Amino acid sequence: MSEKTIKPYLEQLAKLDFKNMYNNDFLHTWDKTTDELRAMYLVADALRNLRERNISTRIFQSGLAVSNFRDNSTRTRFSFASGTNLLGLQLQDLDEAKSQIAHGETVRETATMISFMADVIGIRDDKFIGEGDAYMKEVSESVEQSWRDGILDHRPTLVSLQSDSDHPTQSSADMLYLINEFGGLDNLKGKKVAVTWAYSPSYGKPLSCPQSLIMLLTRFGMNVTLAHPEGYDLMPELVKQAGVYAKESGATFTQAHTMEEAFEGADIVIPKSWAPYAAMEKRTKLYAAGDQEGIDKLEKELLAQNATHKDWCCTQKLMETTAKGQDTIYMHPLPADINGVSCEHGEVENEVFDYHRDGLYMEASYKPYAVAAMIFLQKAKDPIATLQALEDAATPRWNQA
Amino acid sequence: MSEKTIKPYLEQLAKLDFKNMYNNDFLHTWDKTTDELRAMYLVADALRNLRERNISTRIFQSGLAVSNFRDNSTRTRFSFASGTNLLGLQLQDLDEAKSQIAHGETVRETATMISFMADVIGIRDDKFIGEGDAYMKEVSESVEQSWRDGILDHRPTLVSLQSDSDHPTQSSADMLYLINEFGGLDNLKGKKVAVTWAYSPSYGKPLSCPQSLIMLLTRFGMNVTLAHPEGYDLMPELVKQAGVYAKESGATFTQAHTMEEAFEGADIVIPKSWAPYAAMEKRTKLYAAGDQEGIDKLEKELLAQNATHKDWCCTQKLMETTAKGQDTIYMHPLPADINGVSCEHGEVENEVFDYHRDGLYMEASYKPYAVAAMIFLQKAKDPIATLQALEDAATPRWNQA
Amino acid sequence: MSEKTIKPYLEQLAKLDFKNMYNNDFLHTWDKTTDELRAMYLVADALRNLRERNISTRIFQSGLAVSNFRDNSTRTRFSFASGTNLLGLQLQDLDEAKSQIAHGETVRETATMISFMADVIGIRDDKFIGEGDAYMKEVSESVEQSWRDGILDHRPTLVSLQSDSDHPTQSSADMLYLINEFGGLDNLKGKKVAVTWAYSPSYGKPLSCPQSLIMLLTRFGMNVTLAHPEGYDLMPELVKQAGVYAKESGATFTQAHTMEEAFEGADIVIPKSWAPYAAMEKRTKLYAAGDQEGIDKLEKELLAQNATHKDWCCTQKLMETTAKGQDTIYMHPLPADINGVSCEHGEVENEVFDYHRDGLYMEASYKPYAVAAMIFLQKAKDPIATLQALEDAATPRWNQA
């Protein structure tokens, strides 16, 4: 963050092909080329640089950023509020409980109705397997259609704020953190990363976090080991694709069945609880069938199954086996289940968490910039020239005489 | 929207007398002269023209737009958010559930307390006959009083976002749609419009939509036929006044008791469910008396009464009898009860709705501009000069290098 | 407010030492020197002057003002929305019910997560003795730590929107009202103020209002009499400190046990209900222990105790005994319990309240400016130069050609 100018970022941007990001959505990292992802990281860092030098990055005089959170959120909600505000948009939340959506209105209709002055729409829909992606796709197609039909004067672009398959703003923040920690994206090549399951007293945490990681890290040459207890599989097609990505980038993608194996010699560890895919699919079907008894029964089974894996905890002892011992990078999207803090037994020992607190918070600090960069690339036809113009104008964000 | 300049709108504006709109409220269309309404349509179209040419129409550097939704809303909520944002105001919702209003505070006090930096207040209060209008009037008088007393440094103006009698932002959007469809307000003269009741599985939909239409369309020379089953009367004084308006504008206002009669040869059809006025009055009294048993009984009666009118549906067959058959303009404030989509039997056949989808969405797209135009005329002492200054400044709303 | 320039305010500001307010919090008035408080009043009046002359006081092009209301609020919510909007910030409410805070996340973590682009954080937490102050302190220390650790690029400053001990934005608005009513802060010296308890049919109203008053008014030379029924004590250390403040400013601080005694010859009366300190402490402990039965029992006792003091009402008869009779200044933070309006027996007779309505609303009108001034002094390193620059730029807040 110590650069005195964004010139270095712009020079790197000039070498990449990312023209298709303009007027497009950001729903999964795997919809994007590596050039496009690289461009997004560079724009995020450039926006951060400008803001830290108190230069306004407002490109909108007015306009709405519409959010639709179908699940609770603090971090992502504030990241979306922050990132859109940084560009000059006003947040308008679609609270479905206060709307007339229950009327039986189609997605296409609601999507159009909220979009007459929306420049961007952010959606979190991660609760049921298959539903989040389907919903976002439908919203995207709806506003695209309304734009083509001349109803909307421009096309509001979408940013996924977490679906059932991917959590792109989270994994992009993770990447930005690693890029800045290791001094450049190319320095990540060959680093060993442990993406592992960890025990939590709750059950049913989204699969999208680990999936997002294995699908992204493998593309930039990192050697990823995925480890989880038997039965805690991720979506099989994503696991398969992570292997393909690893191969393409000259890296490895390995599966293991113990934390020990994954942590051994790792440069980065990312242990976190998630639900078994098969169980989540089953739950989605029970929910669709309105079978509450079945859901309750399933929950009991899952909690019992979960309880047999309390040993999957990120301990100081385990950290010792990693590349730099306690100093190896430990990451988590937060909030974590911390032994003796938020629960008795959880994902991580308090000593480990506390030792890495600054890093974890720094990791989170990139999310607003990831959001802003995704939107910037959707909205600026010539992002390099627009960033340069912002730096040249040097309008103070926070104006003091 | 293809005009390259707003000059034509400004030239037409220059011929109208609308000076009384400055610093005034917009609670009902019938509070306004036809010149004032014409001015509002012109300003709405001018604002839309500027926005579509990417010219900022921000006239506020700071300031609040306060909303108070006493009933659910999606379209109007986003229209108010959009229209006020277009002018530079920040939306601040008064959520009565999170406030101290239950304390027994007077309307005058609350109205003043939320208004110290409010430039405009938007209210939806449409649930009980007589209450919405009364509440808005009290809020208006309260802030007027506080302004005269020197407590408020300016007078926040009100925009009705739907009361029990009128829904001016909806019917104004409808007018804007028709003006643009027919190529000018004067081209609407002599057009036959069917404003008809239609069956919905729910009961108790607001009277304000059809009332707003018959009170507005008749003023601009359209021949309106109002049709509904026996018992589904609108407020009698409004029905009477619609007849007076029709006479004044050289048009006709007819009542019919079948959809067939109203649709026959119509240039525009607007079929929609509403509740019987007498029943709504009764319900208001039961509610005031806290008679939940009575309300439940009334609801049962109304649903039974409703169910006898399932034949009031906008079908393809009925559309054939209109001036242009399937191509005759079909309008609805949305969301509609669509056969086989949102319900089994509803207001309209899916084929009709689907065929007119683009028009319906376009109709809705004018609402943010109707809101913005109402506020613009309340807040700009010389709207023509202010619009001209905005066009001359040509500050990009969405700034790209 | 009739000044044609803010020069007089700036000249007075130049004589004061308030440099420590920069980058600092505003949690209690007693954390501040009298110079700092004087500076805040001057900046509030200067901001009001600029706004009333339609000069924009926006110092932020983007940035968030985060609010966290752990108790209901209308006035303070809108004051915070207004004051922050006046400076160019966008409000983002942290709705704990919609967040993941229940997950067991630490205060430090949440505080950091919402602060990546937060310039200011406003908190209301007034329900339980000891908790509000402790929570705000923890949030403040958390963001300070995250800023020192390089996680946050600047330090978000805090404004207390009411804790269990103090209500600084309210008492600052009260001071601003008095300053403007009496034509200057120095004119308040020697004025007799009655800060008295009054009966309310509810129980458990915050102690922070009267505490805030006795701790502030005594510092500026006002002779304060505190009166309440036996058992309705305030926090003893604050009562003691009010005496010290009075002594330091050459004023008196007296305690009485009847309204009559306090009102006798008073220049200003501020009668309001509050809960007994000891009972509130007990309630806090019962709440912590989860003893709902105990809480219910306590509530019954308190309501019974309360009911014996219905004679503590601000009547016309009592007003007669004050310095100027009915014209003596009567103040209340609102909403008040008014006889025959919001309850049968309350804090004040309707005749008294109604006679003073304009003054009460004017009192409230200063709160947005108190909020804005606190933030302005936290965010402008050279407030005098920054205010001067705003006046010189003379950008219209509300732009009309």
Side-chain angles (χ1 to χ4, degrees):
Chain A
M1 290 306 118
S2 55
E3 310 285 352
K4 289 276 179 346
T5 159
I6 56 170
K7 215 176 158 187
Y9 302 116
L10 302 188
E11 284 170 357
Q12 289 186 67
L13 271 172
K15 295 176 198 154
L16 302 171
D17 176 7
F18 52 88
K19 58 180 182 302
N20 283 338
M21 298 182 86
Y22 181 68
N23 211 20
N24 215 329
D25 300 324
F26 205 117
L27 298 184
H28 311 93
T29 61
W30 51 84
D31 301 335
K32 304 293 166 193
T33 66
T34 53
D35 258 23
E36 289 170 347
L37 295 172
R38 281 171 190 267
M40 194 259 285
Y41 307 142
L42 289 166
V43 170
D45 275 337
L47 289 172
R48 186 164 189 151
N49 175 287
L50 290 173
R51 187 183 140 97
E52 292 187 359
R53 287 161 58 213
N54 197 31
I55 294 175
S56 170
T57 53
R58 219 179 152 146
I59 55 168
F60 289 98
Q61 280 294 306
S62 69
L64 298 186
V66 176
S67 61
N68 183 0
F69 283 91
R70 298 182 136 188
D71 197 2
N72 284 344
S73 169
T74 312
R75 263 147 283 271
T76 306
R77 189 184 289 278
F78 273 77
S79 292
F80 190 68
S82 299
T84 54
N85 171 265
L86 190 69
L87 303 179
L89 296 172
Q90 183 174 311
L91 187 64
Q92 176 65 19
D93 191 46
L94 171 62
D95 186 337
E96 295 189 342
K98 287 185 184 172
S99 75
Q100 298 195 351
I101 290 166
H103 259 295
E105 190 174 332
T106 59
V107 168
R108 178 156 171 213
E109 191 163 306
T110 307
T112 304
M113 295 302 121
I114 62 173
S115 293
F116 297 124
M117 295 192 188
D119 290 293
V120 65
I121 301 171
I123 300 174
R124 162 165 293 191
D125 188 346
D126 63 346
K127 279 190 169 170
F128 299 106
I129 294 294
E131 295 196 3
D133 278 338
Y135 176 66
M136 290 185 209
K137 188 161 175 279
E138 197 174 352
V139 171
S140 173
E141 287 171 354
S142 298
V143 294
E144 168 101 19
Q145 187 64 45
S146 290
W147 171 56
R148 293 204 183 282
D149 292 348
I151 294 154
L152 301 179
D153 60 20
H154 67 286
R155 183 183 178 282
T157 48
L158 266 70
V159 171
S160 164
L161 302 175
Q162 191 168 9
S163 76
D164 45 295
S165 71
D166 200 6
H167 194 347
T169 62
Q170 178 61 45
S171 59
S172 299
D174 296 344
M175 278 296 293
L176 282 161
Y177 173 61
L178 291 174
I179 289 166
N180 281 280
E181 281 298 305
F182 285 93
L185 183 53
D186 295 333
N187 296 341
L188 301 181
K189 245 183 141 65
K191 293 287 176 288
K192 185 182 172 190
V193 191
V195 175
T196 83
W197 191 85
Y199 171 76
S200 157
S202 82
Y203 89 103
K205 292 195 176 169
L207 305 166
S208 50
C209 281
Q211 289 172 171
S212 199
L213 284 167
I214 61 165
M215 287 288 278
L216 188 57
L217 304 183
T218 50
R219 296 180 73 181
F220 293 100
M222 282 174 268
N223 297 320
V224 174
T225 305
L226 172 68
H228 55 76
E230 212 177 327
Y232 285 79
D233 301 287
L234 300 177
M235 292 183 181
E237 68 277 19
L238 298 183
V239 173
K240 197 178 154 197
Q241 182 59 33
V244 174
Y245 279 149
K247 209 167 177 184
E248 284 173 1
S249 75
T252 59
F253 174 66
T254 320
Q255 294 204 55
H257 287 289
T258 62
M259 275 181 110
E260 284 71 14
E261 199 178 331
F263 269 53
E264 178 73 39
D267 300 294
I268 300 147
V269 297
I270 320 181
K272 193 195 174 302
S273 172
W274 66 76
Y277 172 56
M280 286 302 97
E281 267 206 313
K282 202 170 162 188
R283 178 164 155 269
T284 299
K285 280 173 195 158
L286 291 166
Y287 186 83
D291 183 355
Q292 189 57 47
E293 204 179 319
I295 291 174
D296 293 345
K297 191 163 162 278
L298 177 66
E299 181 168 345
K300 262 190 198 161
E301 285 168 20
L302 289 172
L303 285 170
Q305 180 186 357
N306 236 15
T308 65
H309 301 298
K310 284 193 185 158
D311 51 323
W312 286 71
C313 179
C314 180
T315 60
Q316 282 184 302
K317 204 173 145 198
L318 260 175
M319 287 301 290
E320 276 309 321
T321 70
T322 61
K324 297 194 179 175
Q326 305 305 324
D327 290 316
T328 287
I329 290 179
Y330 160 80
M331 291 168 73
H332 195 289
L334 306 178
D337 288 316
I338 309 163
N339 296 3
V341 175
S342 40
C343 55
E344 198 184 337
H345 296 285
E347 298 168 312
V348 59
E349 282 183 359
N350 188 25
E351 292 77 8
V352 176
F353 187 88
D354 202 53
Y355 188 74
H356 290 275
R357 187 184 300 275
D358 278 8
L360 289 160
Y361 291 180
M362 189 61 90
E363 177 189 354
S365 77
Y366 287 98
K367 203 189 275 185
Y369 292 103
V371 170
M374 290 172 184
I375 300 172
F376 196 90
L377 284 157
Q378 292 168 348
K379 296 300 173 185
K381 200 161 193 172
D382 186 342
I384 299 174
T386 304
L387 283 167
Q388 188 62 63
L390 288 169
E391 183 171 60
D392 292 345
T395 308
R397 178 190 78 82
W398 171 0
N399 202 358
Q400 305 176 60
Chain B
M1 289 306 119
S2 54
E3 310 283 355
K4 290 276 181 347
T5 160
I6 56 169
K7 214 176 158 188
Y9 302 115
L10 302 188
E11 283 170 358
Q12 288 185 67
L13 271 172
K15 295 175 197 154
L16 302 171
D17 175 7
F18 51 87
K19 57 180 183 304
N20 283 339
M21 298 182 87
Y22 182 67
N23 211 19
N24 215 328
D25 300 324
F26 204 116
L27 298 183
H28 311 92
T29 60
W30 51 83
D31 301 337
K32 303 295 167 190
T33 66
T34 53
D35 258 23
E36 289 170 349
L37 295 173
R38 281 171 189 268
M40 194 259 283
Y41 307 141
L42 290 166
V43 169
D45 275 336
L47 289 171
R48 185 163 190 153
N49 175 287
L50 290 173
R51 185 182 142 97
E52 291 187 359
R53 287 161 57 214
N54 198 31
I55 294 175
S56 169
T57 52
R58 217 176 156 148
I59 55 169
F60 290 98
Q61 281 294 306
S62 69
L64 298 186
V66 176
S67 61
N68 182 0
F69 283 91
R70 298 183 136 187
D71 197 2
N72 284 344
S73 170
T74 313
R75 262 148 284 271
T76 307
R77 188 185 288 279
F78 273 77
S79 291
F80 191 67
S82 299
T84 53
N85 171 264
L86 190 70
L87 303 179
L89 297 172
Q90 183 174 310
L91 187 64
Q92 176 64 21
D93 192 46
L94 171 63
D95 186 339
E96 295 189 342
K98 288 184 183 171
S99 74
Q100 297 195 351
I101 288 165
H103 256 296
E105 190 174 332
T106 59
V107 169
R108 179 158 171 209
E109 191 163 305
T110 307
T112 304
M113 295 302 121
I114 62 174
S115 293
F116 296 125
M117 294 193 189
D119 290 293
V120 66
I121 300 171
I123 300 174
R124 163 166 292 191
D125 188 346
D126 62 346
K127 277 191 170 167
F128 299 106
I129 295 293
E131 294 195 4
D133 279 338
Y135 176 66
M136 292 185 208
K137 189 162 175 278
E138 197 174 351
V139 171
S140 173
E141 286 171 356
S142 297
V143 293
E144 167 102 19
Q145 187 65 44
S146 290
W147 171 56
R148 293 203 183 283
D149 291 349
I151 293 154
L152 301 180
D153 61 21
H154 67 286
R155 183 182 178 282
T157 47
L158 266 70
V159 171
S160 164
L161 303 174
Q162 190 169 7
S163 75
D164 44 295
S165 70
D166 199 6
H167 193 346
T169 63
Q170 178 61 45
S171 58
S172 298
D174 296 342
M175 278 296 291
L176 281 161
Y177 173 61
L178 291 174
I179 289 166
N180 281 279
E181 281 298 305
F182 285 91
L185 183 52
D186 295 333
N187 296 340
L188 300 182
K189 244 182 144 67
K191 293 285 175 288
K192 185 181 171 190
V193 192
V195 175
T196 81
W197 190 84
Y199 171 75
S200 158
S202 81
Y203 89 104
K205 291 196 175 167
L207 305 167
S208 49
C209 281
Q211 288 171 172
S212 200
L213 284 168
I214 62 166
M215 288 289 279
L216 188 57
L217 304 184
T218 51
R219 295 180 73 182
F220 293 100
M222 281 175 268
N223 296 320
V224 175
T225 305
L226 171 68
H228 55 75
E230 213 177 325
Y232 285 79
D233 301 288
L234 301 176
M235 292 181 179
E237 67 277 18
L238 298 182
V239 173
K240 197 177 154 199
Q241 181 59 34
V244 174
Y245 278 149
K247 210 167 177 184
E248 284 173 2
S249 75
T252 59
F253 175 67
T254 320
Q255 295 205 54
H257 287 290
T258 63
M259 274 182 113
E260 284 72 13
E261 199 179 332
F263 270 53
E264 177 74 37
D267 301 295
I268 300 147
V269 297
I270 319 180
K272 193 195 176 300
S273 173
W274 67 76
Y277 171 55
M280 287 302 96
E281 267 207 312
K282 200 170 164 187
R283 179 165 155 268
T284 299
K285 279 173 195 158
L286 291 166
Y287 186 84
D291 183 354
Q292 189 57 46
E293 203 179 320
I295 291 173
D296 293 345
K297 192 163 162 280
L298 176 66
E299 181 168 345
K300 262 189 198 162
E301 285 167 19
L302 289 172
L303 285 171
Q305 180 186 358
N306 236 16
T308 65
H309 301 298
K310 282 192 186 160
D311 52 325
W312 287 70
C313 177
C314 181
T315 61
Q316 282 184 300
K317 205 176 143 195
L318 261 176
M319 287 302 290
E320 276 309 319
T321 68
T322 60
K324 296 193 181 176
Q326 304 306 323
D327 289 317
T328 287
I329 291 179
Y330 160 80
M331 293 169 72
H332 196 288
L334 305 178
D337 288 317
I338 309 164
N339 295 4
V341 175
S342 41
C343 54
E344 196 184 339
H345 295 285
E347 298 168 313
V348 60
E349 282 182 357
N350 189 24
E351 292 77 9
V352 175
F353 187 87
D354 201 52
Y355 188 74
H356 289 274
R357 188 185 300 277
D358 278 9
L360 290 159
Y361 292 180
M362 189 60 91
E363 178 190 352
S365 76
Y366 287 97
K367 204 189 272 184
Y369 293 102
V371 169
M374 289 172 184
I375 300 172
F376 196 90
L377 284 157
Q378 292 169 348
K379 296 300 173 186
K381 201 163 192 171
D382 186 342
I384 298 174
T386 303
L387 283 167
Q388 188 62 63
L390 289 169
E391 182 170 62
D392 293 345
T395 308
R397 178 189 79 82
W398 171 0
N399 202 358
Q400 306 176 59
Chain C
M1 290 304 121
S2 55
E3 309 286 353
K4 289 278 182 342
T5 160
I6 56 170
K7 217 177 157 186
Y9 302 116
L10 302 188
E11 283 170 357
Q12 289 186 66
L13 271 172
K15 296 175 197 154
L16 302 171
D17 176 7
F18 52 88
K19 58 180 182 300
N20 284 339
M21 298 182 88
Y22 183 67
N23 212 16
N24 216 327
D25 300 324
F26 204 115
L27 298 184
H28 312 92
T29 62
W30 52 84
D31 301 336
K32 304 295 166 190
T33 66
T34 53
D35 259 22
E36 290 170 348
L37 295 173
R38 282 171 189 267
M40 194 259 284
Y41 307 141
L42 289 166
V43 169
D45 276 336
L47 289 172
R48 185 163 190 152
N49 175 288
L50 289 173
R51 185 182 143 96
E52 292 188 358
R53 286 162 57 214
N54 197 31
I55 294 174
S56 170
T57 53
R58 221 178 151 144
I59 56 170
F60 290 98
Q61 280 295 306
S62 69
L64 297 186
V66 176
S67 60
N68 183 359
F69 284 91
R70 298 184 136 186
D71 197 3
N72 284 344
S73 170
T74 312
R75 262 147 284 271
T76 307
R77 188 184 289 276
F78 273 77
S79 291
F80 191 67
S82 300
T84 53
N85 171 265
L86 190 70
L87 303 178
L89 297 172
Q90 183 173 310
L91 187 64
Q92 177 64 19
D93 192 47
L94 171 62
D95 186 338
E96 295 188 341
K98 287 185 185 171
S99 74
Q100 298 195 350
I101 289 164
H103 257 296
E105 189 174 331
T106 59
V107 169
R108 179 158 169 210
E109 191 163 305
T110 306
T112 303
M113 295 302 122
I114 62 173
S115 293
F116 297 125
M117 295 192 187
D119 290 292
V120 65
I121 301 171
I123 300 174
R124 162 165 294 191
D125 189 346
D126 62 347
K127 278 190 168 169
F128 299 105
I129 295 293
E131 295 196 3
D133 278 340
Y135 176 66
M136 291 184 209
K137 189 161 174 280
E138 198 174 352
V139 171
S140 173
E141 287 171 356
S142 297
V143 293
E144 167 102 19
Q145 187 63 44
S146 290
W147 170 57
R148 293 203 184 284
D149 292 348
I151 294 154
L152 301 179
D153 61 20
H154 67 284
R155 182 182 179 282
T157 48
L158 266 70
V159 171
S160 164
L161 303 175
Q162 191 169 8
S163 76
D164 45 295
S165 71
D166 199 7
H167 194 346
T169 62
Q170 178 61 46
S171 59
S172 298
D174 296 343
M175 277 296 292
L176 281 161
Y177 173 61
L178 291 173
I179 289 166
N180 280 280
E181 282 296 306
F182 286 92
L185 183 53
D186 295 334
N187 297 340
L188 301 181
K189 244 187 142 66
K191 293 286 174 288
K192 184 181 172 191
V193 191
V195 175
T196 82
W197 191 85
Y199 170 76
S200 157
S202 82
Y203 90 103
K205 291 197 174 168
L207 305 166
S208 49
C209 281
Q211 288 172 173
S212 198
L213 284 167
I214 63 167
M215 287 290 278
L216 188 57
L217 304 183
T218 50
R219 295 178 74 181
F220 294 99
M222 282 174 269
N223 297 320
V224 174
T225 305
L226 172 68
H228 56 75
E230 212 178 325
Y232 285 81
D233 300 286
L234 301 177
M235 292 181 180
E237 67 277 20
L238 298 183
V239 173
K240 196 177 155 200
Q241 182 59 34
V244 174
Y245 278 149
K247 209 167 177 185
E248 284 173 3
S249 75
T252 59
F253 175 66
T254 321
Q255 295 204 55
H257 288 289
T258 63
M259 275 182 111
E260 284 71 13
E261 200 179 330
F263 269 53
E264 177 74 39
D267 299 295
I268 299 147
V269 297
I270 319 180
K272 195 196 172 302
S273 172
W274 67 75
Y277 171 55
M280 287 302 96
E281 267 207 313
K282 202 170 163 188
R283 178 164 155 271
T284 298
K285 280 172 195 159
L286 291 167
Y287 187 83
D291 183 354
Q292 189 57 47
E293 204 180 321
I295 291 174
D296 293 344
K297 192 164 162 278
L298 177 65
E299 182 169 344
K300 263 192 197 158
E301 285 168 20
L302 289 173
L303 284 170
Q305 180 186 356
N306 236 16
T308 64
H309 301 299
K310 284 193 186 160
D311 52 323
W312 287 70
C313 178
C314 180
T315 61
Q316 281 184 301
K317 205 175 143 194
L318 260 175
M319 286 302 290
E320 277 308 321
T321 68
T322 60
K324 295 194 179 175
Q326 305 306 324
D327 290 316
T328 287
I329 290 178
Y330 159 80
M331 291 168 75
H332 194 288
L334 306 179
D337 288 316
I338 309 163
N339 295 4
V341 175
S342 40
C343 55
E344 197 184 338
H345 295 285
E347 298 169 313
V348 59
E349 283 182 356
N350 189 24
E351 292 77 7
V352 175
F353 187 87
D354 201 53
Y355 189 74
H356 290 273
R357 187 184 301 275
D358 278 9
L360 289 160
Y361 291 180
M362 189 61 91
E363 177 189 354
S365 77
Y366 287 98
K367 204 189 272 184
Y369 293 102
V371 169
M374 290 172 183
I375 299 172
F376 196 91
L377 285 156
Q378 292 169 349
K379 296 300 172 185
K381 200 162 193 170
D382 186 342
I384 297 174
T386 303
L387 284 167
Q388 188 62 63
L390 289 169
E391 182 171 59
D392 293 345
T395 308
R397 177 189 79 82
W398 172 0
N399 202 358
Q400 305 176 60

